[in-house]
Amino acid sequence: MAKRIGTGEIIAQALRQGRRRLARDLGGPFRSLYLKNIRSPGLANLPDMPDRGDPLQGLKIMDGRFVLGSQALDVGAHGDPWSVPAPSPAYAEKLHGFGWLHDLTALGRSRAHVRKNPGLKAQTALRAGRLIDRWIDVYGGWNPFAWREDILTERLFAWLVNWTALLGHETEDVAGTRRETSLLRQLGQLRKSWRQTPEGILRLKATACLVIGASCVQKRQNAWLDRAMDMLDDEIERQILSDGGHISRNPQDVIATLEILIAVENALDKGGVTGSREIHRAMDRLGPMLSFFQLGPGQMAAFNGGGTGDARQIKAL
């Protein structure tokens, strides 16, 4: 017989939800003040990942057309997507997640496109920098949607792994310092709220961002780096099975996990830090499992919620 929910329990649940909503709404201004006090000590040894973006999508972004999933937003070559309404909440999540930076990186490194336009690499970096600067103008203080833990995690990972390719040339000027400061503010927020990210790949990615961030700050705090690595190790132990599969049994999660750990290992290696045994063991197991799930070049078996995968992403691994 189903348990009947009493009126008192319903009221208590409503009060809990109200407190959470109030804390979120009223906490924004105070959170913004806290974040503004964070200043950049400088960044170094950021990961430099293989290209896995689409240069053709990068060209569209250069023209101001953001195609994310089945929807698109056209803001013009000199416009930005932060001052116009997004087509849908799902589109806005992808937009604020900055995964499209991979496409600009791929375009700037595309030999075929650079051969036609020798200045393309600098142009893609300039476009990426302006889009990030404008995001900082509008959302850099704090915003309940843009700073939501899942979106924050995706954005941080995209910034960290594309920083060297797109933003690494502007580290001494005002714009470069402002971007570094924004990155560190977001890392500071994630450091406090990473447990609120959804369980699974996003939780693992959040802890990976904290490891990369801690290892790349020039005035590195070894205690915090050790703590972040412990958190990542815990997620690896929780999510990566002994056969190299992800606990979700979704083949695409194997791809995502391997990409995340490669970025972590890249950053640690550049910073002269030895990765943990858990990271190395997981990578050793994930590689063969990735091969096992492949039906052909760049194509994954589609089951347990996964698709056939992104051929460029698979090739980059």
Side-chain angles (χ1 to χ4, degrees):
M1 183 176 180
K3 180 181 177 181
R4 180 172 296 177
I5 300 175
T7 304
E9 189 172 347
I10 294 174
I11 294 174
Q13 177 66 18
L15 288 173
R16 285 194 294 269
Q17 292 177 350
R19 283 198 299 270
R20 284 195 292 267
R21 191 178 301 112
L22 190 64
R24 181 197 66 194
D25 295 341
L26 294 183
F30 294 103
R31 190 177 292 109
S32 179
L33 288 173
Y34 163 77
L35 293 169
K36 286 180 180 178
N37 290 327
I38 299 176
R39 294 292 180 267
S40 172
L43 300 175
N45 307 315
L46 284 152
D48 191 7
M49 298 290 288
D51 301 335
R52 61 98 149 174
D54 184 351
L56 296 180
Q57 291 297 328
L59 284 173
K60 293 178 182 178
I61 294 172
M62 293 295 290
D63 291 333
R65 183 169 175 78
F66 291 77
V67 181
L68 304 176
S70 60
Q71 295 178 305
L73 188 64
D74 198 336
V75 297
H78 301 289
D80 69 79
W82 316 121
S83 54
V84 295
S88 69
Y91 182 95
E93 290 177 0
K94 295 177 182 177
L95 185 66
H96 285 272
F98 277 80
W100 42 268
L101 283 179
H102 294 295
D103 299 326
L104 287 177
T105 295
L107 177 61
R109 290 177 170 175
S110 170
R111 294 181 180 178
H113 289 91
V114 171
R115 193 178 301 117
K116 297 176 183 178
N117 180 2
L120 187 59
K121 184 175 182 179
Q123 292 166 13
T124 56
L126 182 63
R127 180 65 166 152
R130 287 177 175 173
L131 288 168
I132 288 175
D133 290 342
R134 183 58 182 152
W135 182 91
I136 295 172
D137 290 339
V138 180
Y139 296 101
W142 188 78
N143 176 273
F145 177 83
W147 286 69
R148 203 175 70 195
E149 282 74 17
D150 55 336
I151 300 175
L152 174 63
T153 296
E154 295 286 12
R155 180 171 59 252
L156 278 171
F157 189 78
W159 284 26
L160 287 166
V161 300
N162 289 286
W163 194 280
T164 299
L166 296 173
L167 305 173
H169 62 291
E170 294 181 343
T171 57
E172 302 296 334
D173 61 7
V174 174
T177 301
R178 186 167 179 258
R179 293 165 193 162
E180 289 182 356
T181 299
S182 178
L183 178 68
L184 291 175
R185 288 174 181 171
Q186 294 175 68
L187 284 168
Q189 175 62 21
L190 186 63
R191 179 177 173 177
K192 296 194 304 178
S193 63
W194 68 273
R195 289 185 178 86
Q196 298 177 36
T197 55
E199 293 185 356
I201 289 295
L202 272 174
R203 182 78 58 84
L204 187 143
K205 183 178 282 189
T207 57
C209 286
L210 294 176
V211 171
I212 296 172
S215 68
C216 294
V217 176
Q218 287 185 356
K219 295 180 180 179
R220 189 168 64 212
Q221 297 179 348
N222 290 327
W224 171 241
L225 176 58
D226 291 343
R227 173 61 181 143
M229 290 182 67
D230 287 343
M231 295 187 306
L232 177 59
D233 288 346
D234 289 343
E235 289 302 319
I236 290 173
E237 185 176 356
R238 187 176 295 114
Q239 297 188 38
I240 308 305
L241 304 176
S242 59
D243 62 3
H246 188 267
I247 193 171
S248 67
R249 287 307 187 189
N250 182 336
Q252 284 191 291
D253 286 344
V254 173
I255 300 173
T257 303
L258 188 55
E259 180 184 48
I260 292 167
L261 296 185
I262 288 175
V264 170
E265 188 70 7
N266 188 306
L268 292 176
D269 185 62
K270 290 177 72 174
V273 179
T274 302
S276 68
R277 186 179 69 170
E278 284 74 11
I279 293 175
H280 295 152
R281 288 179 59 195
M283 293 177 68
D284 289 342
R285 296 197 300 263
L286 286 163
M289 184 57 70
L290 176 63
S291 299
F292 172 78
F293 281 132
Q294 284 189 261
L295 299 178
Q299 188 176 25
M300 300 289 287
F303 58 89
N304 283 347
T308 56
D310 185 333
R312 288 177 297 272
Q313 184 182 18
I314 296 171
K315 183 179 179 181
L317 299 177

Short mmCIF file of all heavy atoms in Angstrom, two decimals, residues 66 68 70-74 81 84-92 95:
data_model
loop_
_atom_site.label_atom_id
_atom_site.label_comp_id
_atom_site.label_asym_id
_atom_site.label_seq_id
_atom_site.Cartn_x
_atom_site.Cartn_y
_atom_site.Cartn_z
N PHE A 66 25.86 31.08 -34.66
CA PHE A 66 26.12 30.05 -33.67
C PHE A 66 25.11 28.92 -33.86
O PHE A 66 23.94 29.06 -33.50
CB PHE A 66 26.02 30.62 -32.25
CG PHE A 66 27.12 31.59 -31.91
CD1 PHE A 66 27.09 32.89 -32.38
CD2 PHE A 66 28.18 31.20 -31.12
CE1 PHE A 66 28.09 33.80 -32.07
CE2 PHE A 66 29.20 32.08 -30.80
CZ PHE A 66 29.16 33.38 -31.28
N LEU A 68 24.09 25.47 -32.64
CA LEU A 68 24.29 24.57 -31.51
C LEU A 68 23.13 23.58 -31.49
O LEU A 68 21.99 23.96 -31.21
CB LEU A 68 24.35 25.35 -30.19
CG LEU A 68 25.41 26.46 -30.13
CD1 LEU A 68 25.30 27.23 -28.82
CD2 LEU A 68 26.80 25.89 -30.29
N SER A 70 20.21 21.65 -32.97
CA SER A 70 19.29 21.88 -34.08
C SER A 70 18.85 23.33 -34.20
O SER A 70 18.00 23.66 -35.02
CB SER A 70 18.05 20.99 -33.91
OG SER A 70 17.37 21.31 -32.70
N GLN A 71 19.43 24.20 -33.37
CA GLN A 71 19.03 25.60 -33.38
C GLN A 71 20.22 26.50 -33.68
O GLN A 71 21.38 26.11 -33.49
CB GLN A 71 18.41 25.99 -32.03
CG GLN A 71 17.10 25.25 -31.73
CD GLN A 71 16.54 25.61 -30.38
OE1 GLN A 71 17.21 25.50 -29.36
NE2 GLN A 71 15.29 26.06 -30.37
N ALA A 72 19.92 27.70 -34.14
CA ALA A 72 20.99 28.63 -34.51
C ALA A 72 20.61 30.05 -34.09
O ALA A 72 19.43 30.38 -33.93
CB ALA A 72 21.25 28.57 -36.01
N LEU A 73 21.63 30.86 -33.92
CA LEU A 73 21.46 32.27 -33.57
C LEU A 73 22.43 33.07 -34.42
O LEU A 73 23.62 32.77 -34.45
CB LEU A 73 21.75 32.47 -32.08
CG LEU A 73 21.44 33.85 -31.48
CD1 LEU A 73 19.94 34.13 -31.53
CD2 LEU A 73 21.92 33.90 -30.03
N ASP A 74 21.91 34.05 -35.13
CA ASP A 74 22.73 34.87 -36.03
C ASP A 74 22.85 36.27 -35.45
O ASP A 74 21.85 36.99 -35.35
CB ASP A 74 22.10 34.91 -37.42
CG ASP A 74 23.10 35.35 -38.49
OD1 ASP A 74 24.08 36.02 -38.13
OD2 ASP A 74 22.90 35.00 -39.67
N PRO A 81 26.32 36.98 -28.85
CA PRO A 81 25.06 36.32 -28.50
C PRO A 81 24.57 36.62 -27.09
O PRO A 81 23.54 36.08 -26.67
CB PRO A 81 25.42 34.84 -28.64
CG PRO A 81 26.86 34.78 -28.28
CD PRO A 81 27.47 36.07 -28.76
N VAL A 84 21.17 39.15 -26.84
CA VAL A 84 19.92 38.79 -27.51
C VAL A 84 19.37 37.51 -26.87
O VAL A 84 20.13 36.70 -26.32
CB VAL A 84 20.14 38.56 -29.03
CG1 VAL A 84 20.56 39.86 -29.70
CG2 VAL A 84 21.18 37.48 -29.27
N PRO A 85 18.05 37.31 -26.91
CA PRO A 85 17.47 36.11 -26.30
C PRO A 85 17.92 34.84 -27.02
O PRO A 85 18.02 34.81 -28.25
CB PRO A 85 15.96 36.33 -26.45
CG PRO A 85 15.79 37.80 -26.71
CD PRO A 85 17.02 38.23 -27.43
N ALA A 86 18.18 33.79 -26.26
CA ALA A 86 18.53 32.50 -26.84
C ALA A 86 17.25 31.81 -27.33
O ALA A 86 16.17 32.03 -26.79
CB ALA A 86 19.23 31.62 -25.81
N PRO A 87 17.36 30.97 -28.36
CA PRO A 87 16.17 30.30 -28.90
C PRO A 87 15.47 29.38 -27.90
O PRO A 87 14.26 29.17 -28.00
CB PRO A 87 16.73 29.49 -30.08
CG PRO A 87 18.01 30.14 -30.44
CD PRO A 87 18.55 30.69 -29.16
N SER A 88 16.21 28.82 -26.95
CA SER A 88 15.63 27.90 -25.98
C SER A 88 16.56 27.77 -24.78
O SER A 88 17.75 28.10 -24.88
CB SER A 88 15.41 26.52 -26.62
OG SER A 88 16.65 25.89 -26.87
N PRO A 89 16.05 27.28 -23.65
CA PRO A 89 16.93 27.05 -22.49
C PRO A 89 18.06 26.07 -22.80
O PRO A 89 19.20 26.26 -22.36
CB PRO A 89 15.98 26.49 -21.43
CG PRO A 89 14.65 27.04 -21.80
CD PRO A 89 14.63 27.07 -23.30
N ALA A 90 17.75 25.01 -23.56
CA ALA A 90 18.79 24.03 -23.91
C ALA A 90 19.89 24.68 -24.75
O ALA A 90 21.08 24.39 -24.57
CB ALA A 90 18.17 22.85 -24.66
N TYR A 91 19.48 25.55 -25.66
CA TYR A 91 20.46 26.27 -26.48
C TYR A 91 21.32 27.18 -25.60
O TYR A 91 22.54 27.26 -25.77
CB TYR A 91 19.74 27.09 -27.54
CG TYR A 91 20.66 27.84 -28.49
CD1 TYR A 91 21.01 27.29 -29.72
CD2 TYR A 91 21.17 29.09 -28.15
CE1 TYR A 91 21.85 27.98 -30.59
CE2 TYR A 91 22.02 29.77 -29.01
CZ TYR A 91 22.35 29.21 -30.22
OH TYR A 91 23.19 29.89 -31.07
N ALA A 92 20.68 27.86 -24.66
CA ALA A 92 21.41 28.77 -23.77
C ALA A 92 22.43 28.01 -22.94
O ALA A 92 23.53 28.52 -22.67
CB ALA A 92 20.43 29.52 -22.87
N LEU A 95 25.33 27.45 -25.17
CA LEU A 95 25.98 28.71 -25.48
C LEU A 95 26.87 29.15 -24.32
O LEU A 95 28.04 29.50 -24.50
CB LEU A 95 24.93 29.78 -25.77
CG LEU A 95 25.44 31.15 -26.22
CD1 LEU A 95 26.11 31.04 -27.58
CD2 LEU A 95 24.27 32.15 -26.29
#
